Amino acid sequence: MGTARSAGRARLRRWAAAGALVALTATTTVACSEGTPDARPAAEALAAALASGEFTDVPFTADAPPPAEVAAVRTAVVEGLGGSTATVEVGDVTLAEDEKTATAGLDVTWDLPGTDADWTYSATAKLVRDDEDEEQPWRARWEVRLLAPDLVAGERLTLTRAVAERGDVLGQGDAVLVEKRPVSRIGIDKTRVAEAELDGAARGLAAALGMDGDAYATRVLGAGPRAFVEAIVVRGGDAAYDVAALGGLPGVGVVPDELPLAPTRAFARPILGGVGAATAEIIEASEGAVTAGDLVGLSGLQRQYDAQLRGTPGTGVMAVAESGSERVLHTSEPVPGEPLRTTLDPTLQQRAEDVVGAVVPAAAVVALRPSTGEVLAAASGPGGEGLSTATVGQYAPGSTFKVVSALAYLRGGLTPDSTVTCPPTVDVDGRTFRNFPGYPSSAQGDVPLRTAFAHSCNTAFIGARDLADQGDLLAAARSLGLEPEADLGFPAFLGTVPDEASATAHAASVIGQGQVLASPLGMATVAASVAAGRTVVPRLVADAAGDVPEDSEGADLPDATPLTAEEAAALQGMMRAVVTEGGAKVLADVPGEPVLAKTGTAQFGGDDDLRNHAWMIAVQGDLAVAVFVGEGDYGSTTAGPLMRAFLAG
């Protein structure tokens, strides 16, 4: 008996570790005669055992199997329910007239994984009085039907899942961006090729696809004898792959399927992300909500909002007999996923993709609607190698940051007509700063701030640096939306501006270099704030309002001073001058409303390998745009034509 009791305790510990839950609730007990022992403790012991699987402490009748055998039966019956856990509550305990037998109502609830639809049912336990045992005067009669409604010997419970329809990802006007589209799964079908030819077939397909032949052949040889070993998924109509020709290779199978996909392979891919089979890590982290074979978001917004998009699977509990016949004990319908509404405009997003699609270095185009902050387009070129250059790239913004410096100088007392000095060079603590090669001599010397801004005079902006210290630059940046700690509801970096800097670092900051960093999204936000005349907070996910904290946690930051109408008008006028007389003349004849702009070039790399980031930001009506190329000539010559192509459509 001691050995059996120890084994029972071990089983109880295993069930507790697995999360089995026992809840016992006393509701009603029929009054019994004076001296009649209470039957409820026996019922509660049985309820606890039915929930946990540990029957050692249940007072069974003499004709019941040993507790270990009862536990083994329960384990075999419920094994097919996977990670489900049970709660059993004792309801009414009713004595027979002779007070020798009793019945106990049991309310059973199974918490099924991956769904909020519990499986509940009622059972009735039979109790028999044993006057010879003073410690346990009532005993429970074992019946297999206590484990499930009308269960008979030999039946087992199994859990089925019905996958919910995944929600679509929508854009402006609820245009569908991501929906089910046809694909072809291409791989080696091991039933179609002799074992001796498997290695060659796998390597042949890998060669045709430009894959690692050794790695794919190893996967094929290691799979089961009838496995289909997928090599690639090709979207319908992808001209890069001849699906028919691939299907004609030895041992190759082509399986038609559907997957949630954007209109094209490149369309906002780093932002929207992808959908595929759940990984082991995702399954483990889901705590039962996701099982092997489920489609889940693997990256981007698809991953971040996966719980919303994937919905809730339907479940079914079946009683399966040894003959294979089945009884349905419980079903719940799947709940479709909720669509994810974004602010992306399909036409503008595709136009942005077309603009950066052929650019070799990392590149991006971001377009915002200043009146609302909505992100209408955020395209990242192939040079980013999958990174969302548009929203999380961190680069020196170069002279596009002079919009921020100009605001700081306006607050320091200058106006667009104030005279500033633009010499060929300026020295700061032994470091020499110059204007870009070919800077027009007509814009040198004493010139209005508007002219120095239009032609992007580095030396004039550095020479005026005492009008705004580093903290003032940070305050101006925050006024124009470059909030270091913004929480936007999607992965994003806007920009960082240190609040303290050395003399040379401060000089570099006012021309958008040194320690100043920004993303294309951040600089588009600067342009949008100028256009709107207020601090704009970019929005990409329509249901996520975004949050710009009043003060960054753990940092001593100045308050973001609201942009005034006069400041906005001055910045708008200076940005217009960049188009009419400065470095953005390439935009002068763009159809539509007048264009405001600012060019930017930022050097990076070592002294013997200096290269340039090329930038341009622009405003046209209720549209603010940033164009970035990771390595180019100048903002005017590299980013300018791309900006023109985007605005002109």
Side-chain angles (χ1 to χ4, degrees):
M1 177 63 75
T3 301
R5 190 174 298 274
S6 297
R9 293 196 183 104
R11 282 195 301 276
L12 181 57
R13 287 194 294 271
R14 289 197 298 273
W15 272 88
L21 177 65
V22 183
L24 308 174
T25 302
T27 55
T28 302
T29 301
V30 173
C32 46
S33 302
E34 184 178 353
T36 301
D38 187 3
R40 177 169 291 279
E44 291 179 343
L46 176 62
L50 290 172
S52 69
E54 171 51 62
F55 291 86
T56 302
D57 296 328
V58 179
F60 280 125
T61 57
D63 58 350
E69 291 186 18
V70 175
V73 170
R74 182 194 183 279
T75 298
V77 168
V78 305
E79 187 175 12
L81 297 184
S84 304
T85 56
T87 301
V88 183
E89 298 181 348
V90 180
D92 292 343
V93 178
T94 305
L95 290 176
E97 290 185 4
D98 60 4
E99 298 186 353
K100 296 296 185 182
T101 62
T103 57
L106 304 177
D107 296 320
V108 183
T109 300
W110 281 92
D111 182 7
L112 305 176
T115 177
D116 294 330
D118 294 335
W119 174 35
T120 62
Y121 60 87
S122 297
T124 301
K126 297 178 181 179
L127 306 171
V128 179
R129 184 171 170 181
D130 182 0
D131 290 331
E132 296 181 1
D133 190 336
E134 294 183 1
E135 292 186 5
Q136 295 178 329
W138 286 94
R139 295 186 173 275
R141 194 175 295 281
W142 167 248
E143 295 178 285
V144 72
R145 63 176 180 78
L146 293 172
L147 298 175
D150 301 320
L151 196 75
V152 298
E155 285 186 314
R156 302 289 186 266
L157 302 181
T158 61
L159 182 66
T160 61
R161 296 174 85 252
V163 178
E165 189 75 14
R166 191 172 182 84
D168 294 332
V169 178
L170 308 176
Q172 288 283 325
D174 279 355
V176 178
L177 302 182
V178 178
E179 61 181 335
K180 279 189 174 181
R181 303 179 194 272
V183 299
S184 296
R185 298 184 180 276
I186 301 173
I188 294 296
D189 182 347
K190 296 183 71 170
T191 66
R192 301 179 59 175
V193 60
E195 184 175 356
E197 300 172 359
L198 277 174
D199 185 76
R203 293 179 184 278
L205 176 58
L209 295 173
M211 295 172 54
D212 183 333
D214 290 340
Y216 183 60
T218 299
R219 278 206 295 131
V220 170
L221 295 175
R226 303 185 62 81
F228 174 80
V229 186
E230 186 177 288
I232 194 172
V233 178
V234 177
R235 66 166 57 223
D238 191 336
Y241 299 93
D242 187 338
V243 174
L246 291 170
L249 296 175
V252 173
V254 177
V255 180
D257 200 356
E258 289 184 326
L259 280 178
L261 296 172
T264 67
R265 181 180 295 275
F267 188 95
R269 183 173 179 82
I271 293 175
L272 298 179
V275 176
T279 63
E281 292 78 11
I282 290 175
I283 293 170
E284 181 178 359
S286 75
E287 298 182 348
V290 176
T291 63
D294 283 356
L295 286 180
V296 298
L298 299 177
S299 59
L301 295 181
Q302 291 280 5
R303 182 78 191 104
Q304 183 175 354
Y305 292 91
D306 183 64
Q308 171 183 332
L309 287 163
R310 73 169 182 262
T312 304
T315 57
V317 178
M318 314 287 291
V320 182
E322 293 177 342
S323 64
S325 62
E326 298 178 343
R327 290 189 299 118
V328 178
L329 302 182
H330 164 79
T331 58
S332 67
E333 294 299 317
V335 179
E338 292 290 329
L340 179 66
R341 288 178 167 82
T342 75
T343 61
L344 294 177
D345 181 292
T347 300
L348 290 181
Q349 179 67 33
Q350 189 56 58
R351 187 188 301 173
E353 300 287 359
D354 293 341
V355 166
V356 298
V359 178
V360 175
V365 173
V366 177
L368 270 65
R369 181 174 286 152
S371 60
T372 64
E374 293 171 302
V375 179
L376 304 178
S380 301
E385 299 180 347
L387 176 74
S388 182
T389 305
T391 58
V392 299
Q394 301 186 23
Y395 306 95
S399 291
T400 57
F401 190 75
K402 286 175 182 168
V403 177
V404 173
S405 301
L407 174 59
Y409 292 162
L410 292 175
R411 292 174 174 176
L414 296 185
T415 71
D417 296 322
S418 295
T419 298
V420 295
T421 302
C422 178
T425 64
V426 61
D427 290 332
V428 180
D429 282 358
R431 178 178 173 182
T432 299
F433 292 87
R434 295 179 172 82
N435 294 318
F436 64 86
Y439 184 88
S441 58
S442 60
Q444 291 183 3
D446 292 339
V447 296
L449 176 62
R450 178 186 296 103
T451 299
F453 184 93
H455 293 278
S456 204
C457 180
N458 290 337
T459 58
F461 270 75
I462 293 173
R465 66 190 181 280
D466 289 341
L467 293 172
D469 63 20
Q470 194 72 19
D472 296 329
L473 281 184
L474 175 56
R478 297 181 74 212
S479 295
L480 292 172
L482 281 185
E483 170 55 55
E485 301 294 334
D487 177 10
L488 304 178
F490 64 97
F493 168 82
L494 294 180
T496 57
V497 180
D499 58 354
E500 294 183 358
S502 65
T504 54
H506 179 51
S509 291
V510 299
I511 60 172
Q513 301 211 167
Q515 300 176 60
V516 175
L517 295 173
S519 68
L521 174 66
M523 294 315 298
T525 301
V526 168
S529 296
V530 172
R534 57 177 176 79
T535 304
V536 169
V537 179
R539 298 173 57 243
L540 175 62
V541 179
D543 297 332
D547 176 36
V548 179
E550 294 181 0
D551 195 20
S552 300
E553 182 178 353
D556 184 16
L557 297 178
D559 292 334
T561 305
L563 193 64
T564 68
E566 289 184 352
E567 291 168 347
L571 293 174
Q572 291 166 8
M574 288 191 288
M575 289 181 68
R576 178 58 180 164
V578 178
V579 177
T580 58
E581 60 181 273
K585 291 180 180 178
V586 67
L587 306 180
D589 61 349
V590 170
E593 297 183 56
V595 179
L596 322 178
K598 183 66 189 82
T599 58
T601 304
Q603 291 183 325
F604 69 100
D607 292 339
D608 56 348
D609 185 30
L610 282 177
R611 289 167 284 168
N612 294 334
H613 297 318
W615 291 84
M616 183 174 283
I617 59 176
V619 171
Q620 186 178 36
D622 198 18
L623 188 68
V625 185
V627 172
F628 167 77
V629 179
E631 187 173 341
D633 293 326
Y634 303 103
S636 57
T637 57
T638 299
L642 300 180
M643 178 69 79
R644 177 182 173 81
F646 180 79
L647 293 178

